[in-house]
Amino acid sequence: RAVGDGLRENQRLQWLSLASNSIGSTGCAALAEGVEQNSSLTHLYVSGNNVSDAGCAAMADAVRANSSLKSLDVSLNEIGDKGCEALARSLHANTALEDLDMCLNAITSDGCSVLCHAAESCGPLRRLVLRSNGIEAAGFVSVKRALLRAHAPYTSRSKREPGRSRGLPCDWRGTAVKRHA
């Protein structure tokens, strides 16, 4: 709770790594309260903290409300499809997140499909890491579809600049590939 309170007060901090501290879902939810109200934090690393779907859902609420966070690493946790789906829903409202690392969790093809669908149709997401999850063939079909659409120009109905390409930079293995703008 202390770090979340600190983030509410400190509007200068840009990078925060709390990796491998076993904060769990309760600690992640308390942290998310601070992230939601912080306007300076651009990079947050909470990998290896025993965060489950509940903690990820709390962080998804913070991502939805936060307009400065560009990079979120929730790798090496216990996040499954429900947490992944919560983050996918937050992408519709988020205008800043460019980098999302969810490797080494418990995400299946279902969660992958929902996340890829959300990422291809909204937000500035440029890097998505889904390595070492439980994703099977159906999930990779979603990745393929998103990759193919990522190279299509935006339509005139899009809020994005005409002529820019959408970006969901994943390769077939679910490993992130950086796209150069």
Side-chain angles (χ1 to χ4, degrees):
R1 173 129 345 257
V3 176
D5 290 343
L7 282 175
R8 276 192 287 279
E9 300 297 322
N10 184 323
Q11 297 296 317
R12 293 179 37 151
L13 185 68
Q14 294 180 333
W15 290 70
L16 178 61
S17 177
L18 296 172
S20 302
N21 280 300
S22 300
I23 64 172
S25 289
T26 303
C28 188
L31 175 64
E33 290 176 18
V35 170
E36 187 171 343
Q37 297 176 24
N38 185 284
S39 62
S40 64
L41 192 67
T42 58
H43 295 77
L44 177 60
Y45 302 94
V46 288
S47 62
N49 273 298
N50 303 317
V51 175
S52 68
D53 287 336
C56 188
M59 188 58 69
D61 288 341
V63 167
R64 183 179 296 109
N66 185 292
S67 61
S68 64
L69 192 64
K70 293 182 178 187
S71 180
L72 176 62
D73 183 340
V74 291
S75 63
L76 194 61
N77 279 296
E78 300 162 3
I79 300 167
D81 291 340
K82 293 213 183 294
C84 186
E85 291 165 8
L87 270 173
R89 286 189 302 274
S90 74
L91 293 179
H92 291 288
N94 183 282
T95 59
L97 195 67
E98 297 176 356
D99 183 353
L100 178 58
D101 190 339
M102 297 189 78
C103 73
L104 295 161
N105 277 291
I107 300 164
T108 70
S109 295
D110 292 339
C112 175
S113 295
V114 171
L115 185 60
C116 286
H117 179 70
E120 76 184 46
S121 62
C122 57
L125 195 65
R126 293 179 164 276
R127 183 173 175 269
L128 175 61
V129 185
L130 295 169
R131 178 179 70 246
S132 298
N133 277 287
I135 301 169
E136 296 177 348
F140 293 117
V141 169
S142 297
V143 172
K144 175 187 174 187
R145 189 175 332 125
L147 284 170
L148 292 173
R149 289 182 184 156
H151 294 290
Y154 291 120
T155 64
S156 59
R157 292 179 291 179
S158 173
K159 295 179 189 173
R160 296 169 180 87
E161 296 173 34
R164 275 187 70 196
S165 293
R166 292 188 240 208
L168 178 66
C170 298
D171 69 14
W172 282 89
R173 296 177 305 273
T175 303
V177 175
K178 248 187 182 170
R179 189 183 87 192
H180 302 283

